[in-house]
Amino acid sequence: MEAAAPFRHRSFPLSLHAGKGAINELRGEVDRTRAKRAFIVCGKSVATKTDLIAKVQAQLGDKFAGVFDGVETSSPLPSVKAGAAAAREAGADLIIAIGGGSAMVTARAIIILLAEKGDIHDICTQYPPGQPPVSPKLMAPKIPNILVLTTPSTAMTRAGTAVKDVERDHRLELFDPKTRPFAMIWDDDALLTAPVELFMSTSASALSGIMAGVATPRINPLSLSDLLHAMRLSVEALPLLRVEPNNTTARMNLVAASFLSNRALDAMRGRAFGLISSLGHVLDTLYTHISHGDASTLTTSWVMRFNLEQTSSGLARLARELGVANGLPEKEAAARAPDFIDDFYRKLGMPVRLRDANIPLEGIERIADDAMGDFYLHQNARKIKDKSELTDLIKQMW
């Protein structure tokens, strides 16, 4: 049995409604916020290819304040600013995000821009040369938000928000726990509106974080229990969804896995594989054809191998839980985990090498440059001494 280390656990108020007809609980949650002007934030696909806006508007009745349907992948800053302007004009005192991660993140960014003064470049996380990153405290009160999910998302309960500065091709990171959702709706029919490829992509992104969490050497028992169940749900449901795209149980279980992952990672200290996020953020920022799921499948196993010496006990734990340790010594068992991950993603038809995802070899230097300025780089077990280490790793990944 592994020795227990001291840990802390925080939770926050959240109402969650899941299953057939769950969307009918929306009005009650809106009333509990005491909001009078509920404003919808979503993307064009939700607005034009589903009936979700009509359903939500019917629930809101006289509290419906309008719709912004300009959400875009990776939450580019122009879209966020346009959404904030529309919400301000509508007099919004509640945001309802309908969709997946981009809708959730855009909604949170809109809420921040509605409340905070100053340019977003001044209130985002700063990276002083040679020093740890600093996230300014965003103290202004924030209006609440409610999520109506169409896909799983690692963003669903996060306090962090990242938008894309399209002029600099760079992420701007904002941190405010007051932007966590007041309530979430996981409605069966809403979850069926998302294309299966999108659903699998977001689920793969969540699974990457889940497995990295299980492989973290020092982990508290509450987080580990959440992550282990999330991993079991994901490893079973993802292959099933590939052959049964409209399986509502598989879709719901993948959303539940993502939620458990969020809850577990919020309660963890000292994450070991921050480089997965750093490289993934850069890939899906620089290359528009790379989805969040692709960014995860391309990076997870490689970063685990990169960190093997520092995380062998955790990777051996992951290998045991995946059923591939076979009683081997710790380091040999640890090496089996990333091999399993590559094989699992390949069978799902997802890329695990940069060249398979049409990432050009000449882009390696830019990827390394940008990753050196990502927040999560500081949460990696193997400390990055200089850019050349990343360049060598990315060459291996190619």
Side-chain angles (χ1 to χ4, degrees):
M1 182 178 295
E2 299 176 25
F7 68 94
R8 64 173 173 83
H9 179 78
R10 292 177 181 167
S11 59
F12 59 95
L14 174 69
S15 296
L16 196 161
H17 303 277
K20 189 74 173 176
I23 202 165
N24 296 326
E25 304 295 331
L26 179 61
R27 177 59 188 245
E29 293 300 338
V30 171
D31 289 345
R32 273 185 275 279
T33 70
R34 300 185 179 179
K36 296 180 179 180
R37 303 282 296 169
F39 188 76
I40 295 171
V41 171
C42 66
K44 294 291 185 188
S45 293
V46 166
T48 61
K49 297 180 181 179
T50 78
D51 61 355
L52 290 176
I53 289 180
K55 285 184 176 180
V56 170
Q57 186 174 353
Q59 284 286 310
L60 295 176
D62 60 348
K63 294 191 175 185
F64 172 69
V67 179
F68 172 72
D69 63 1
V71 169
E72 299 178 29
T73 301
S74 299
S75 302
L77 187 54
S79 169
V80 171
K81 287 183 174 179
R88 187 177 290 109
E89 184 177 351
D93 59 2
L94 167 71
I95 301 292
I96 298 176
I98 308 177
S102 294
M104 299 171 199
V105 171
T106 298
R108 289 203 299 264
I110 287 172
I111 290 167
I112 290 171
L113 292 188
L114 287 175
E116 298 291 340
K117 296 180 180 179
D119 186 87
I120 190 170
H121 295 87
D122 298 324
I123 63 174
C124 71
T125 300
Q126 307 295 315
Y127 290 86
Q131 299 178 46
V134 178
S135 295
K137 292 184 177 180
L138 308 181
M139 302 304 293
K142 305 297 187 297
I143 62 174
N145 69 96
I146 294 175
L147 310 181
V148 178
L149 272 69
T150 59
T151 70
S153 173
T154 55
M156 69 172 78
T157 61
R158 294 284 171 86
T161 295
V163 302
K164 182 177 179 179
D165 183 341
V166 293
E167 293 183 2
R168 305 179 189 180
D169 227 6
H170 187 70
R171 282 166 51 95
L172 302 175
E173 298 153 349
L174 304 154
F175 181 80
D176 191 343
K178 298 187 294 300
T179 61
R180 294 185 193 272
F182 179 84
M184 289 196 292
I185 306 294
W186 302 353
D187 182 88
D188 275 2
D189 291 333
L191 295 179
L192 284 172
T193 64
V196 67
E197 292 302 330
L198 174 60
F199 211 97
M200 294 195 66
S201 174
T202 55
S203 299
S205 179
L207 179 57
S208 173
I210 290 164
M211 291 190 291
V214 173
T216 298
R218 293 173 66 84
I219 184 171
N220 70 72
L222 298 182
S223 290
L224 182 58
S225 63
D226 276 349
L227 290 169
L228 288 178
H229 190 54
M231 188 168 72
R232 293 182 192 112
L233 290 173
S234 299
V235 169
E236 177 182 345
L238 268 167
L240 178 59
L241 194 61
R242 174 57 78 196
V243 295
E244 298 181 23
N246 293 325
N247 189 306
T248 54
T249 300
R251 290 191 179 223
M252 187 65 72
N253 283 348
L254 288 167
V255 173
S258 184
F259 174 80
L260 290 171
S261 168
N262 278 210
R263 186 169 73 176
L265 296 175
D266 262 354
M268 285 176 60
R269 264 185 192 170
R271 300 180 198 176
F273 300 97
L275 187 53
I276 293 174
S277 295
S278 296
L279 291 172
H281 291 160
V282 173
L283 290 174
D284 68 25
T285 299
L286 291 181
Y287 301 100
T288 56
H289 70 283
I290 296 296
S291 68
H292 292 309
D294 290 342
S296 297
T297 64
L298 288 166
T299 55
T300 303
S301 63
W302 297 99
V303 172
M304 287 182 172
R305 294 183 184 104
F306 182 79
N307 284 319
L308 196 145
E309 287 295 323
Q310 293 78 14
T311 62
S312 59
S313 63
L315 284 168
R317 181 201 300 125
L318 176 61
R320 289 194 297 272
E321 296 297 337
L322 292 171
V324 295
N326 297 334
L328 293 169
E330 180 177 283
K331 286 191 176 180
E332 292 179 46
R336 294 285 186 92
D339 292 343
F340 173 95
I341 293 167
D342 275 351
D343 187 55
F344 182 80
Y345 285 142
R346 277 198 193 98
K347 288 178 179 176
L348 292 175
M350 296 176 171
V352 296
R353 279 190 173 274
L354 297 182
R355 60 173 175 264
D356 297 334
N358 297 316
I359 303 295
L361 186 60
E362 57 269 24
I364 287 176
E365 290 294 330
R366 175 67 189 277
I367 295 169
D369 274 332
D370 283 14
M372 288 296 293
D374 186 87
F375 179 85
Y376 288 98
L377 191 76
H378 301 272
Q379 297 184 10
N380 200 64
R382 177 174 167 181
K383 300 308 174 187
I384 312 300
K385 297 174 184 176
D386 55 52
K387 193 188 83 170
S388 65
E389 287 188 277
L390 288 189
T391 303
D392 290 344
L393 171 62
I394 298 166
K395 288 178 179 176
Q396 295 175 39
M397 294 166 62
W398 198 86

